[in-house]
Amino acid sequence: MQPIGLFGGAFDPIHYGHLRTAFELWQALKLTELRFMPTGNPPHRDPLMASAELRLHMVRAAGAGQPAFIVDDREVRRSGISYSVDTLIEMRAEFPDRSLCLLLGMDAFLGLPNWHRWRELFDLAHVARARQAE
């Protein structure tokens, strides 16, 4: 089935919590690959500190050495607001026969009702929420 994990975020900056969550979800869900997808222009965030190019560089450096971690820059290249639903529509067209798993932290999961066209996400991918640290 070759499931793909999709882990988006500003990554401004990427940190150990992102990497640990990604690694644990990759293992637990038996994902073939995990794509870090830095957002370009997020609708729910204050202006980002680092440029898109710098954030991409940081994510690439942080994931180096883990072959299953891939950096996908499609949201950074897209003009306008970055909506997850648009990314998932693109991914579904690109990988029609593969399982897509949208990976969310607890904060993102709880904020889903505020996302653009959030109900459509469940038609495009499995949604997996990371367990909150105890």
Side-chain angles (χ1 to χ4, degrees), residues 3-38:
I4 301 171
L6 308 173
F7 192 42
F11 303 121
D12 189 32
I14 191 165
H15 54 72
Y16 180 74
H18 294 129
L19 296 170
R20 170 104 187 226
T21 298
F23 187 80
E24 289 182 5
L25 288 170
W26 170 70
Q27 284 186 318
L29 299 173
K30 298 178 177 30
L31 301 169
T32 304
E33 64 188 62
L34 190 143
R35 290 180 178 237
F36 284 88
M37 306 185 86

mmCIF file of all heavy atoms in Angstrom, residues 3-38:
data_model
loop_
_atom_site.group_PDB
_atom_site.id
_atom_site.type_symbol
_atom_site.label_atom_id
_atom_site.label_comp_id
_atom_site.label_asym_id
_atom_site.label_seq_id
_atom_site.Cartn_x
_atom_site.Cartn_y
_atom_site.Cartn_z
ATOM 1 N N PRO A 3 1.957 3.691 2.345
ATOM 2 C CA PRO A 3 1.340 4.911 2.867
ATOM 3 C C PRO A 3 2.336 6.050 3.006
ATOM 4 O O PRO A 3 3.495 5.855 3.366
ATOM 5 C CB PRO A 3 0.795 4.481 4.228
ATOM 6 C CG PRO A 3 1.635 3.317 4.619
ATOM 7 C CD PRO A 3 2.016 2.626 3.339
ATOM 8 N N ILE A 4 1.845 7.254 2.722
ATOM 9 C CA ILE A 4 2.643 8.473 2.811
ATOM 10 C C ILE A 4 2.112 9.316 3.965
ATOM 11 O O ILE A 4 0.922 9.623 4.022
ATOM 12 C CB ILE A 4 2.539 9.298 1.512
ATOM 13 C CG1 ILE A 4 3.018 8.488 0.310
ATOM 14 C CG2 ILE A 4 3.319 10.604 1.635
ATOM 15 C CD1 ILE A 4 2.736 9.166 -1.031
ATOM 16 N N GLY A 5 2.997 9.710 4.855
ATOM 17 C CA GLY A 5 2.636 10.635 5.924
ATOM 18 C C GLY A 5 2.899 12.061 5.480
ATOM 19 O O GLY A 5 3.924 12.339 4.849
ATOM 20 N N LEU A 6 1.992 12.958 5.787
ATOM 21 C CA LEU A 6 2.106 14.375 5.418
ATOM 22 C C LEU A 6 2.113 15.188 6.701
ATOM 23 O O LEU A 6 1.121 15.217 7.430
ATOM 24 C CB LEU A 6 0.942 14.791 4.526
ATOM 25 C CG LEU A 6 0.695 13.900 3.304
ATOM 26 C CD1 LEU A 6 -0.578 14.298 2.592
ATOM 27 C CD2 LEU A 6 1.892 13.939 2.374
ATOM 28 N N PHE A 7 3.254 15.819 6.972
ATOM 29 C CA PHE A 7 3.438 16.553 8.218
ATOM 30 C C PHE A 7 3.737 18.005 7.886
ATOM 31 O O PHE A 7 4.845 18.357 7.509
ATOM 32 C CB PHE A 7 4.584 15.915 9.011
ATOM 33 C CG PHE A 7 4.715 16.366 10.436
ATOM 34 C CD1 PHE A 7 3.609 16.542 11.247
ATOM 35 C CD2 PHE A 7 5.964 16.579 10.976
ATOM 36 C CE1 PHE A 7 3.745 16.944 12.566
ATOM 37 C CE2 PHE A 7 6.119 16.981 12.296
ATOM 38 C CZ PHE A 7 5.009 17.159 13.096
ATOM 39 N N GLY A 8 2.715 18.832 7.968
ATOM 40 C CA GLY A 8 2.860 20.234 7.618
ATOM 41 C C GLY A 8 3.062 21.110 8.828
ATOM 42 O O GLY A 8 2.842 20.701 9.963
ATOM 43 N N GLY A 9 3.501 22.320 8.560
ATOM 44 C CA GLY A 9 3.681 23.292 9.624
ATOM 45 C C GLY A 9 4.553 24.434 9.158
ATOM 46 O O GLY A 9 5.144 24.380 8.079
ATOM 47 N N ALA A 10 4.634 25.441 9.989
ATOM 48 C CA ALA A 10 5.490 26.578 9.654
ATOM 49 C C ALA A 10 6.960 26.202 9.794
ATOM 50 O O ALA A 10 7.803 26.666 9.041
ATOM 51 C CB ALA A 10 5.165 27.764 10.553
ATOM 52 N N PHE A 11 7.272 25.364 10.785
ATOM 53 C CA PHE A 11 8.655 24.977 11.070
ATOM 54 C C PHE A 11 9.533 26.228 11.171
ATOM 55 O O PHE A 11 10.538 26.357 10.491
ATOM 56 C CB PHE A 11 9.178 23.985 10.025
ATOM 57 C CG PHE A 11 8.333 22.743 9.905
ATOM 58 C CD1 PHE A 11 7.746 22.406 8.703
ATOM 59 C CD2 PHE A 11 8.100 21.931 10.997
ATOM 60 C CE1 PHE A 11 6.955 21.260 8.589
ATOM 61 C CE2 PHE A 11 7.309 20.796 10.897
ATOM 62 C CZ PHE A 11 6.732 20.454 9.688
ATOM 63 N N ASP A 12 9.105 27.117 12.048
ATOM 64 C CA ASP A 12 9.732 28.435 12.189
ATOM 65 C C ASP A 12 10.210 28.653 13.628
ATOM 66 O O ASP A 12 9.639 29.470 14.345
ATOM 67 C CB ASP A 12 8.706 29.509 11.792
ATOM 68 C CG ASP A 12 9.285 30.898 11.686
ATOM 69 O OD1 ASP A 12 10.460 31.021 11.324
ATOM 70 O OD2 ASP A 12 8.548 31.865 11.966
ATOM 71 N N PRO A 13 11.220 27.913 14.052
ATOM 72 C CA PRO A 13 12.037 26.924 13.347
ATOM 73 C C PRO A 13 11.540 25.513 13.628
ATOM 74 O O PRO A 13 10.729 25.291 14.525
ATOM 75 C CB PRO A 13 13.421 27.122 13.968
ATOM 76 C CG PRO A 13 13.105 27.459 15.398
ATOM 77 C CD PRO A 13 11.836 28.294 15.335
ATOM 78 N N ILE A 14 12.066 24.561 12.861
ATOM 79 C CA ILE A 14 11.832 23.156 13.172
ATOM 80 C C ILE A 14 12.593 22.843 14.464
ATOM 81 O O ILE A 14 13.646 23.425 14.722
ATOM 82 C CB ILE A 14 12.264 22.235 12.007
ATOM 83 C CG1 ILE A 14 11.752 20.821 12.247
ATOM 84 C CG2 ILE A 14 13.758 22.322 11.744
ATOM 85 C CD1 ILE A 14 11.798 19.934 11.033
ATOM 86 N N HIS A 15 12.026 21.957 15.286
ATOM 87 C CA HIS A 15 12.682 21.640 16.563
ATOM 88 C C HIS A 15 12.505 20.160 16.885
ATOM 89 O O HIS A 15 11.852 19.412 16.144
ATOM 90 C CB HIS A 15 12.148 22.535 17.688
ATOM 91 C CG HIS A 15 10.658 22.517 17.840
ATOM 92 N ND1 HIS A 15 9.962 21.453 18.354
ATOM 93 C CD2 HIS A 15 9.731 23.449 17.506
ATOM 94 C CE1 HIS A 15 8.674 21.732 18.368
ATOM 95 N NE2 HIS A 15 8.501 22.936 17.838
ATOM 96 N N TYR A 16 13.113 19.771 17.991
ATOM 97 C CA TYR A 16 13.111 18.371 18.404
ATOM 98 C C TYR A 16 11.700 17.802 18.526
ATOM 99 O O TYR A 16 11.451 16.658 18.165
ATOM 100 C CB TYR A 16 13.870 18.226 19.729
ATOM 101 C CG TYR A 16 13.919 16.810 20.226
ATOM 102 C CD1 TYR A 16 14.746 15.867 19.628
ATOM 103 C CD2 TYR A 16 13.115 16.410 21.295
ATOM 104 C CE1 TYR A 16 14.779 14.565 20.081
ATOM 105 C CE2 TYR A 16 13.147 15.103 21.752
ATOM 106 C CZ TYR A 16 13.979 14.181 21.147
ATOM 107 O OH TYR A 16 14.002 12.887 21.590
ATOM 108 N N GLY A 17 10.770 18.583 19.025
ATOM 109 C CA GLY A 17 9.388 18.101 19.162
ATOM 110 C C GLY A 17 8.790 17.710 17.823
ATOM 111 O O GLY A 17 8.079 16.705 17.725
ATOM 112 N N HIS A 18 9.057 18.488 16.767
ATOM 113 C CA HIS A 18 8.580 18.130 15.424
ATOM 114 C C HIS A 18 9.198 16.806 14.982
ATOM 115 O O HIS A 18 8.509 15.915 14.473
ATOM 116 C CB HIS A 18 8.966 19.201 14.395
ATOM 117 C CG HIS A 18 8.315 20.517 14.580
ATOM 118 N ND1 HIS A 18 9.041 21.689 14.623
ATOM 119 C CD2 HIS A 18 7.017 20.867 14.713
ATOM 120 C CE1 HIS A 18 8.206 22.698 14.776
ATOM 121 N NE2 HIS A 18 6.974 22.231 14.834
ATOM 122 N N LEU A 19 10.520 16.702 15.154
ATOM 123 C CA LEU A 19 11.234 15.513 14.688
ATOM 124 C C LEU A 19 10.822 14.270 15.458
ATOM 125 O O LEU A 19 10.632 13.203 14.876
ATOM 126 C CB LEU A 19 12.739 15.728 14.777
ATOM 127 C CG LEU A 19 13.283 16.836 13.879
ATOM 128 C CD1 LEU A 19 14.738 17.133 14.214
ATOM 129 C CD2 LEU A 19 13.129 16.463 12.416
ATOM 130 N N ARG A 20 10.669 14.395 16.746
ATOM 131 C CA ARG A 20 10.273 13.243 17.561
ATOM 132 C C ARG A 20 8.869 12.785 17.185
ATOM 133 O O ARG A 20 8.598 11.611 17.019
ATOM 134 C CB ARG A 20 10.348 13.623 19.037
ATOM 135 C CG ARG A 20 9.743 12.626 19.975
ATOM 136 C CD ARG A 20 10.769 11.824 20.683
ATOM 137 N NE ARG A 20 10.147 10.768 21.450
ATOM 138 C CZ ARG A 20 10.459 10.486 22.683
ATOM 139 N NH1 ARG A 20 11.394 11.156 23.294
ATOM 140 N NH2 ARG A 20 9.859 9.495 23.304
ATOM 141 N N THR A 21 7.951 13.736 17.044
ATOM 142 C CA THR A 21 6.579 13.406 16.651
ATOM 143 C C THR A 21 6.572 12.728 15.285
ATOM 144 O O THR A 21 5.913 11.696 15.096
ATOM 145 C CB THR A 21 5.707 14.671 16.625
ATOM 146 O OG1 THR A 21 5.669 15.226 17.941
ATOM 147 C CG2 THR A 21 4.302 14.376 16.140
ATOM 148 N N ALA A 22 7.303 13.288 14.336
ATOM 149 C CA ALA A 22 7.360 12.711 12.990
ATOM 150 C C ALA A 22 7.911 11.300 13.027
ATOM 151 O O ALA A 22 7.356 10.380 12.409
ATOM 152 C CB ALA A 22 8.219 13.595 12.081
ATOM 153 N N PHE A 23 8.991 11.097 13.751
ATOM 154 C CA PHE A 23 9.619 9.776 13.808
ATOM 155 C C PHE A 23 8.693 8.752 14.454
ATOM 156 O O PHE A 23 8.532 7.640 13.954
ATOM 157 C CB PHE A 23 10.952 9.853 14.567
ATOM 158 C CG PHE A 23 11.720 8.579 14.528
ATOM 159 C CD1 PHE A 23 12.468 8.241 13.405
ATOM 160 C CD2 PHE A 23 11.695 7.695 15.595
ATOM 161 C CE1 PHE A 23 13.179 7.052 13.350
ATOM 162 C CE2 PHE A 23 12.398 6.502 15.554
ATOM 163 C CZ PHE A 23 13.149 6.177 14.426
ATOM 164 N N GLU A 24 8.050 9.139 15.552
ATOM 165 C CA GLU A 24 7.154 8.210 16.235
ATOM 166 C C GLU A 24 5.939 7.862 15.389
ATOM 167 O O GLU A 24 5.510 6.702 15.352
ATOM 168 C CB GLU A 24 6.751 8.767 17.593
ATOM 169 C CG GLU A 24 7.904 8.746 18.581
ATOM 170 C CD GLU A 24 7.536 9.242 19.960
ATOM 171 O OE1 GLU A 24 6.346 9.529 20.220
ATOM 172 O OE2 GLU A 24 8.453 9.353 20.802
ATOM 173 N N LEU A 25 5.371 8.837 14.687
ATOM 174 C CA LEU A 25 4.236 8.546 13.805
ATOM 175 C C LEU A 25 4.668 7.702 12.616
ATOM 176 O O LEU A 25 3.938 6.801 12.189
ATOM 177 C CB LEU A 25 3.557 9.842 13.354
ATOM 178 C CG LEU A 25 2.755 10.569 14.428
ATOM 179 C CD1 LEU A 25 2.345 11.949 13.947
ATOM 180 C CD2 LEU A 25 1.539 9.760 14.843
ATOM 181 N N TRP A 26 5.834 7.975 12.067
ATOM 182 C CA TRP A 26 6.368 7.175 10.960
ATOM 183 C C TRP A 26 6.466 5.707 11.378
ATOM 184 O O TRP A 26 6.033 4.816 10.647
ATOM 185 C CB TRP A 26 7.735 7.730 10.542
ATOM 186 C CG TRP A 26 8.498 6.880 9.598
ATOM 187 C CD1 TRP A 26 8.202 6.638 8.285
ATOM 188 C CD2 TRP A 26 9.682 6.136 9.870
ATOM 189 N NE1 TRP A 26 9.142 5.797 7.729
ATOM 190 C CE2 TRP A 26 10.064 5.482 8.692
ATOM 191 C CE3 TRP A 26 10.469 5.983 11.010
ATOM 192 C CZ2 TRP A 26 11.189 4.657 8.620
ATOM 193 C CZ3 TRP A 26 11.598 5.175 10.939
ATOM 194 C CH2 TRP A 26 11.942 4.517 9.749
ATOM 195 N N GLN A 27 6.997 5.463 12.582
ATOM 196 C CA GLN A 27 7.131 4.089 13.071
ATOM 197 C C GLN A 27 5.775 3.467 13.387
ATOM 198 O O GLN A 27 5.485 2.350 12.955
ATOM 199 C CB GLN A 27 7.997 4.050 14.326
ATOM 200 C CG GLN A 27 9.462 4.213 14.069
ATOM 201 C CD GLN A 27 10.266 4.008 15.337
ATOM 202 O OE1 GLN A 27 9.888 4.485 16.408
ATOM 203 N NE2 GLN A 27 11.369 3.296 15.217
ATOM 204 N N ALA A 28 4.956 4.177 14.149
ATOM 205 C CA ALA A 28 3.684 3.619 14.617
ATOM 206 C C ALA A 28 2.737 3.297 13.468
ATOM 207 O O ALA A 28 2.030 2.289 13.498
ATOM 208 C CB ALA A 28 3.017 4.579 15.599
ATOM 209 N N LEU A 29 2.715 4.157 12.452
ATOM 210 C CA LEU A 29 1.789 3.972 11.337
ATOM 211 C C LEU A 29 2.395 3.178 10.182
ATOM 212 O O LEU A 29 1.723 2.955 9.174
ATOM 213 C CB LEU A 29 1.296 5.334 10.837
ATOM 214 C CG LEU A 29 0.536 6.170 11.873
ATOM 215 C CD1 LEU A 29 0.252 7.561 11.332
ATOM 216 C CD2 LEU A 29 -0.742 5.467 12.301
ATOM 217 N N LYS A 30 3.669 2.795 10.335
ATOM 218 C CA LYS A 30 4.370 2.021 9.305
ATOM 219 C C LYS A 30 4.308 2.720 7.941
ATOM 220 O O LYS A 30 3.962 2.126 6.921
ATOM 221 C CB LYS A 30 3.831 0.599 9.234
ATOM 222 C CG LYS A 30 4.035 -0.184 10.520
ATOM 223 C CD LYS A 30 3.444 -1.565 10.440
ATOM 224 C CE LYS A 30 3.660 -2.421 11.653
ATOM 225 N NZ LYS A 30 3.774 -1.875 12.937
ATOM 226 N N LEU A 31 4.645 4.007 7.970
ATOM 227 C CA LEU A 31 4.615 4.810 6.755
ATOM 228 C C LEU A 31 5.836 4.507 5.896
ATOM 229 O O LEU A 31 6.936 4.330 6.408
ATOM 230 C CB LEU A 31 4.596 6.300 7.110
ATOM 231 C CG LEU A 31 3.418 6.761 7.979
ATOM 232 C CD1 LEU A 31 3.656 8.172 8.481
ATOM 233 C CD2 LEU A 31 2.116 6.661 7.208
ATOM 234 N N THR A 32 5.650 4.459 4.592
ATOM 235 C CA THR A 32 6.763 4.276 3.673
ATOM 236 C C THR A 32 7.644 5.507 3.659
ATOM 237 O O THR A 32 8.868 5.416 3.604
ATOM 238 C CB THR A 32 6.238 4.006 2.242
ATOM 239 O OG1 THR A 32 5.368 2.883 2.296
ATOM 240 C CG2 THR A 32 7.369 3.728 1.287
ATOM 241 N N GLU A 33 7.020 6.665 3.701
ATOM 242 C CA GLU A 33 7.751 7.934 3.726
ATOM 243 C C GLU A 33 6.955 8.943 4.527
ATOM 244 O O GLU A 33 5.747 8.807 4.694
ATOM 245 C CB GLU A 33 8.004 8.461 2.318
ATOM 246 C CG GLU A 33 6.742 8.818 1.555
ATOM 247 C CD GLU A 33 6.999 9.164 0.102
ATOM 248 O OE1 GLU A 33 7.478 8.294 -0.646
ATOM 249 O OE2 GLU A 33 6.705 10.319 -0.274
ATOM 250 N N LEU A 34 7.661 9.933 5.023
ATOM 251 C CA LEU A 34 7.027 11.021 5.751
ATOM 252 C C LEU A 34 7.500 12.322 5.126
ATOM 253 O O LEU A 34 8.691 12.590 5.079
ATOM 254 C CB LEU A 34 7.408 10.978 7.234
ATOM 255 C CG LEU A 34 6.591 11.936 8.093
ATOM 256 C CD1 LEU A 34 6.295 11.331 9.430
ATOM 257 C CD2 LEU A 34 7.289 13.259 8.242
ATOM 258 N N ARG A 35 6.545 13.081 4.606
ATOM 259 C CA ARG A 35 6.853 14.336 3.929
ATOM 260 C C ARG A 35 6.635 15.513 4.861
ATOM 261 O O ARG A 35 5.520 15.766 5.309
ATOM 262 C CB ARG A 35 5.981 14.510 2.682
ATOM 263 C CG ARG A 35 6.344 13.543 1.596
ATOM 264 C CD ARG A 35 5.458 13.737 0.378
ATOM 265 N NE ARG A 35 5.884 12.802 -0.643
ATOM 266 C CZ ARG A 35 6.264 13.155 -1.870
ATOM 267 N NH1 ARG A 35 6.218 14.421 -2.239
ATOM 268 N NH2 ARG A 35 6.652 12.249 -2.723
ATOM 269 N N PHE A 36 7.722 16.225 5.136
ATOM 270 C CA PHE A 36 7.626 17.492 5.840
ATOM 271 C C PHE A 36 7.197 18.521 4.799
ATOM 272 O O PHE A 36 7.807 18.626 3.737
ATOM 273 C CB PHE A 36 8.980 17.891 6.428
ATOM 274 C CG PHE A 36 9.341 17.129 7.665
ATOM 275 C CD1 PHE A 36 10.005 15.915 7.576
ATOM 276 C CD2 PHE A 36 9.021 17.629 8.916
ATOM 277 C CE1 PHE A 36 10.349 15.213 8.713
ATOM 278 C CE2 PHE A 36 9.360 16.929 10.059
ATOM 279 C CZ PHE A 36 10.027 15.713 9.955
ATOM 280 N N MET A 37 6.137 19.272 5.105
ATOM 281 C CA MET A 37 5.572 20.211 4.148
ATOM 282 C C MET A 37 5.492 21.596 4.772
ATOM 283 O O MET A 37 4.451 21.995 5.296
ATOM 284 C CB MET A 37 4.204 19.721 3.693
ATOM 285 C CG MET A 37 4.269 18.291 3.163
ATOM 286 S SD MET A 37 2.732 17.696 2.495
ATOM 287 C CE MET A 37 2.884 18.303 0.825
ATOM 288 N N PRO A 38 6.616 22.346 4.725
ATOM 289 C CA PRO A 38 6.578 23.700 5.283
ATOM 290 C C PRO A 38 5.533 24.559 4.566
ATOM 291 O O PRO A 38 5.438 24.540 3.345
ATOM 292 C CB PRO A 38 7.989 24.237 5.028
ATOM 293 C CG PRO A 38 8.834 23.022 4.831
ATOM 294 C CD PRO A 38 7.935 21.997 4.205
#
